[in-house]
Amino acid sequence: MSIHEDDHTGFDRPRKRSRPRTKDRPDYSSLPVARVVSVDRGRYRCLLEDRIVSAVRGRLIARKGIIVGDEVRLDGDTSADEGTLARVVEVLERTTMLRRSADDADTFERPIVANADQLFIVTALADPPPRMGMIDRILVAAYDAGIAPMLCLTKADLASPDELRAAYEPLGVPILVTDPLADLTPVREALTDHVTVFVGHSGVGKSTLVNRLIPDAHRATGEVSELTGKGRHTSTSAVAMELPEGGWIVDTPGVRSFGISHVRPGSILGAFPDLAEYAEDCPRGCRHQTDAPECALDDAVADGRLAPERLASFRRMERAFV
């Protein structure tokens, strides 16, 4: 034995064994791509070709990093046999993401759906009555997300759509009007080959409309409370459903408020190129409201370059931030 050794030589504390660190992420490019159609308590139902695969979140993905509409890569057992689970190991880049907060005092963003290119704001003309403030807020969120909005007015057998037409047609928002017996051909044509998210106040007939469009959807429907005049929540989670004619609907739970604290005031101006062009002549920091001094939008109306109805509608939507 060496003079530098003693009886304890070789009995040092074991060293930690760990894999060498690397900046290279795993390559999942050969794995199949599926669409997330629903999320429920940590389980993700994903449409892969012609089957629904149940999956869990891979460890490299954030806890709330997967939402309905996401395109994901699956690893593991993708047979869809009973009792099997795959893993979501990668979320592909999103083209759009619709978000909201519970209210404007809540800064926590709630992602609603990914990769939608169209948004149906479903609004009843009566029972419950339309809430223009809610419509304006959803419009703001749609423009901020880069999703084309449409207004779908239900229960036209109970009230006239004229007031809402006058309010939103100047913004160039397409408007569809339905009732329980209406021919849905115009609605089907608008939905074909699009991924459309349905958003609306509780009780407006959103799930009823979905069931007419997709008879085997079996979305729960409910009545409006006689006590409060408000709709009861029936859908409890977002679900993506394929349309027989092609395209997808994402039905979301009814909402009673729609916060837009995640949207910067003035950011929606870019959705209106004609207004943005005139607004370039506004003083710095102009909010473009009625009392804004030297607002170039007022000059455009005075000169006949801009319709006063369009400016009034835009300003009403901007007041959603106030």
Side-chain angles (χ1 to χ4, degrees), residues 42-56:
R43 293 290 187 268
Y44 305 91
R45 296 178 72 245
C46 307
L47 178 65
L48 177 60
E49 297 174 351
D50 58 349
R51 61 192 184 275
I52 296 292
V53 176
S54 293
V56 294

Side-chain angles (χ1 to χ4, degrees), residues 7 18 73 76 86 111 176 208 219 228 266 273:
D7 292 341
S18 61
R73 292 194 186 275
L176 296 168
T208 299
R219 297 296 277 169
T228 64

Side-chain angles (χ1 to χ4, degrees), residues 251-283:
D251 186 25
T252 64
V255 294
R256 291 179 181 168
S257 63
F258 201 101
I260 50 174
S261 61
H262 63 283
V263 182
R264 290 183 297 105
S267 66
I268 61 170
L269 186 63
F272 302 94
D274 56 332
L275 298 178
E277 178 184 357
Y278 301 135
E280 290 179 358
D281 296 326
C282 286

Side-chain angles (χ1 to χ4, degrees), residues 58-240:
R59 63 184 181 85
L60 295 180
I61 299 176
R63 189 167 63 89
K64 293 186 179 291
I66 308 169
I67 60 177
V68 170
D70 270 329
E71 292 190 330
V72 298
R73 292 194 186 275
L74 298 180
D75 195 10
D77 192 335
T78 61
S79 65
D81 292 340
E82 186 175 354
T84 61
L85 277 177
R87 284 186 304 123
V88 177
V89 293
E90 184 178 20
V91 178
L92 302 189
E93 184 177 356
R94 295 162 176 161
T95 56
T96 63
M97 184 171 68
L98 182 67
R99 299 170 291 172
R100 76 176 182 96
S101 53
D103 53 53
D104 289 342
D106 181 6
T107 58
F108 180 74
E109 298 177 7
R110 290 167 170 78
I112 299 175
V113 64
N115 299 319
D117 66 296
Q118 192 166 251
L119 185 150
F120 262 35
I121 305 172
V122 184
T123 302
L125 291 166
D127 191 34
R131 294 167 53 186
M132 290 180 63
M134 170 82 81
I135 296 172
D136 292 342
R137 286 167 172 266
I138 299 173
L139 277 175
V140 166
Y143 289 129
D144 180 67
I147 301 173
M150 299 184 74
L151 193 57
C152 183
L153 306 179
T154 63
K155 306 185 183 181
D157 54 321
L158 302 180
S160 169
D162 292 348
E163 182 180 354
L164 290 181
R165 283 189 184 278
Y168 292 101
E169 282 184 340
L171 287 172
V173 177
I175 298 174
L176 296 168
V177 181
T178 71
D179 63 55
L181 300 177
D183 178 10
L184 294 183
T185 299
V187 177
R188 295 182 190 279
E189 291 176 348
L191 295 171
T192 299
D193 297 331
H194 290 279
V195 178
T196 306
V197 53
F198 280 31
V199 179
H201 189 268
S202 304
V204 298
K206 185 162 48 64
S207 295
T208 299
L209 180 60
V210 171
N211 288 337
R212 289 189 64 194
L213 293 165
I214 308 176
D216 60 353
H218 305 303
R219 297 296 277 169
T221 60
E223 303 296 330
V224 175
S225 168
E226 293 182 3
L227 180 63
T228 64
K230 296 180 179 180
R232 298 186 179 95
H233 294 285
T234 51
S235 304
T236 57
S237 60
V239 175

